[in-house]
Amino acid sequence: AKAEGEDFFSKEESAPAEEEAEPAGRWKRPEIMDRLLEMGECLDRTMRDATGRLFTLSASDLMEDVCSFVFLTFAWPKICYMQDILQQDELKERVLKDKEKNDISEWSHVLRRILPMLLRTLEKVATVDALTLCSAGDALAQLFLQEKDSKSAQSELG
């Protein structure tokens, strides 16, 4: 059974021996966040030049599969989880702990970085239904507005 405030995204593999010496209670970013940010950087670099854009066109099925998998497996469930606990906090049904606040802040940063690229790719294909994409776009807009970053929201969402 899951403990309150814990979700499957915060699970970590056992750390190597040298990292076990870190102080107990210190927050550690889950590896999936690093991998998603790395994916975002790779997609960003790929789309900067003509060669990368040609690769993207030639490997469109691969891009569709990868973006759909990442969106449906990681981004969308995390967005739903974050919206649920933020709503519970707003309605005073639950008080967020510092660990949960850090988790939301970090995931918000990751999702603001990767979600625009995923949505741009997925809007062109029929892998994900329109309602889910619209909900994800709305959630992305809310993430930008929570950070008071309306300029980025406008440029990313059009």
Side-chain angles (χ1 to χ4, degrees), residues 9-116:
F9 292 102
S10 63
K11 300 284 186 212
E12 280 291 313
E13 298 291 322
S14 58
E18 69 265 2
E19 290 184 26
E20 290 177 8
E22 288 186 20
R26 182 173 173 190
W27 190 83
K28 182 180 175 198
R29 181 201 315 242
E31 185 178 349
I32 187 63
M33 287 183 183
D34 294 330
R35 298 298 159 247
L36 288 173
L37 288 171
E38 192 175 303
M39 178 187 173
E41 290 171 14
C42 289
L43 286 173
D44 197 33
R45 281 193 309 258
T46 301
M47 299 307 283
R48 280 190 203 147
D49 63 356
T51 307
R53 288 190 292 272
L54 282 173
F55 167 76
T56 305
L57 287 173
S58 67
S60 59
D61 288 340
L62 174 65
M63 290 297 295
E64 173 187 346
D65 291 343
V66 169
C67 289
S68 297
F69 177 78
V70 168
F71 178 75
L72 293 172
T73 306
F74 302 110
W76 184 240
K78 191 60 179 180
I79 288 169
C80 293
Y81 171 77
M82 287 171 53
Q83 287 178 331
D84 285 346
I85 63 171
L86 287 172
Q87 183 180 25
Q88 289 173 4
D89 182 59
E90 186 177 319
L91 296 173
K92 306 291 187 228
E93 294 175 352
R94 157 190 199 157
V95 176
L96 291 179
K97 300 174 188 162
D98 288 339
K99 181 185 180 305
E100 291 172 318
K101 289 176 184 176
N102 286 341
D103 188 46
I104 289 171
S105 176
E106 286 289 321
W107 271 106
S108 177
H109 169 73
V110 171
L111 291 171
R112 283 192 325 266
R113 176 85 174 107
I114 190 87
L115 203 53

